[in-house]
């Protein structure tokens, strides 16, 4: 992974995916993380070579699946919007990659968006408004919006295991049964599902839900 040669990087990613599929001890995963391994593989997602991007994504997925076996079932995150912003904490439920796909844990982009929502400019986007979160995963962003005073929040995903986890997250955050806050199934690629959401939406929040590349 330290090599600048794309072919060598591709080979390393393929080997990593194979090792992760076979099973990696927690201690080895921790050494890989502390040594910057995850950061180097993630950086390859920005490569211009489509095959290398695919291999890096596969390696991360396999590594994430292995890591999910070591994840704590719940995790709390605290966000500080500064002197004139808001302070808010949410607790999410983390589940396995094998059943939840990329919704298995909270991604960095979600944490950055949560922090932004706690800042004054973010607060203005959600307070008193009707919010729809697409591809929620663990639902941190939708949970934050609800806690920051959104009038209505619909947190959506299309994976059954993720939806069960999101409903558990409502309970963990004291939002179960709160008027205007709900979890719903939504796949924007098809017309079926509970797509009869709030008819008039203010912000729609999304982060890292689509990755597209072209070959040749």
């Amino acid at each position: 992974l330290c090599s600048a040669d794309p072919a060598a990087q591709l080979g390393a990613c393929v080997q990593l995916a194979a090792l992760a599929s076979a099973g990696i001890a927690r201690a080895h995963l921790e050494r890989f993380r502390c040594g910057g391994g995850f950061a180097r593989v993630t950086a390859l997602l920005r490569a211009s070579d489509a095959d290398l991007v695919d291999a890096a994504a596969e390696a991360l997925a396999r590594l994430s699946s292995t890591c999910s076996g070591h994840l704590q079932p719940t995790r709390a995150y605290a966000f500080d919007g500064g002197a004139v912003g808001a302070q808010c904490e949410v607790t999410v439920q983390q589940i396995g990659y094998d059943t939840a796909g990329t919704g298995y844990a909270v991604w960095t982009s979600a944490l950055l968006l949560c922090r932004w929502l706690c800042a004054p400019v973010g607060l203005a986007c959600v307070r008193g408004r009707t919010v729809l979160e697409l591809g929620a995963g663990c639902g941190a962003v939708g949970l934050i919006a609800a806690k920051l005073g959104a009038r209505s929040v619909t947190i959506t995903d299309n994976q059954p295991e993720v939806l069960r986890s999101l409903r558990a997250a409502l309970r963990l955050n004291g939002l179960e049964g709160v008027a205007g806050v709900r979890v719903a199934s939504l796949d924007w690629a098809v017309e079926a599902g509970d797509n009869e959401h709030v008819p008039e939406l203010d912000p729609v929040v999304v982060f890292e839900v689509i990755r597209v590349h072209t070959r040749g």
Side-chain angles (χ1 to χ4, degrees):
L1 290 174
C2 295
S3 171
D5 178 16
Q9 293 170 335
L10 177 63
C13 287
V14 171
Q15 288 182 333
L16 270 176
L19 286 171
S21 296
I24 302 177
R26 182 172 185 170
H28 292 162
L29 278 173
E30 185 63 18
R31 282 198 291 271
F32 183 72
R33 183 190 66 80
C34 291
F38 280 100
R40 285 194 289 273
V41 177
T42 300
L44 295 179
L45 296 176
R46 298 189 293 271
S48 58
D49 185 296
D51 290 330
L52 179 53
V53 171
D54 281 345
E58 179 67 15
L60 283 173
R62 297 293 181 179
L63 287 166
S64 297
S65 180
T66 301
C67 288
S68 66
H70 307 310
L71 287 174
Q72 296 178 349
T74 61
R75 184 170 179 180
Y77 294 91
F79 303 96
D80 187 345
V84 292
Q87 288 73 46
C88 195
E89 180 175 310
V90 294
T91 301
V92 300
Q93 185 172 56
Q94 301 179 127
I95 47 182
Y97 179 88
D98 290 342
T99 54
T102 53
Y104 82 100
V106 180
W107 293 84
T108 302
S109 58
L111 300 178
L112 292 173
L113 183 51
C114 286
R115 187 171 65 181
W116 182 82
L117 289 174
C118 288
V121 65
L123 287 172
C125 288
V126 295
R127 277 189 173 164
R129 296 196 174 185
T130 299
V131 178
L132 171 66
E133 182 179 10
L134 299 177
C138 288
V141 175
L143 295 169
I144 280 283
K147 288 193 170 188
L148 291 176
R151 180 174 69 248
S152 172
V153 179
T154 303
I155 305 173
T156 72
D157 206 285
N158 67 344
Q159 299 295 322
E161 189 65 26
V162 172
L163 293 169
R164 282 191 286 272
S165 176
L166 287 169
R167 293 186 183 100
L170 293 186
R171 292 193 293 273
L172 289 170
N173 290 275
L175 295 170
E176 186 178 35
V178 172
V181 181
R182 72 179 185 128
V183 170
S185 173
L186 175 63
D187 185 345
W188 59 85
V190 296
E191 294 183 1
D194 347 334
N195 293 357
E196 66 284 355
H197 295 306
V198 191
E200 295 183 3
L201 298 167
D202 293 328
V204 176
V205 290
V206 295
F207 56 93
E208 288 193 347
V209 294
I210 300 172
R211 178 173 69 86
V212 177
H213 67 259
T214 57
R215 296 178 182 274

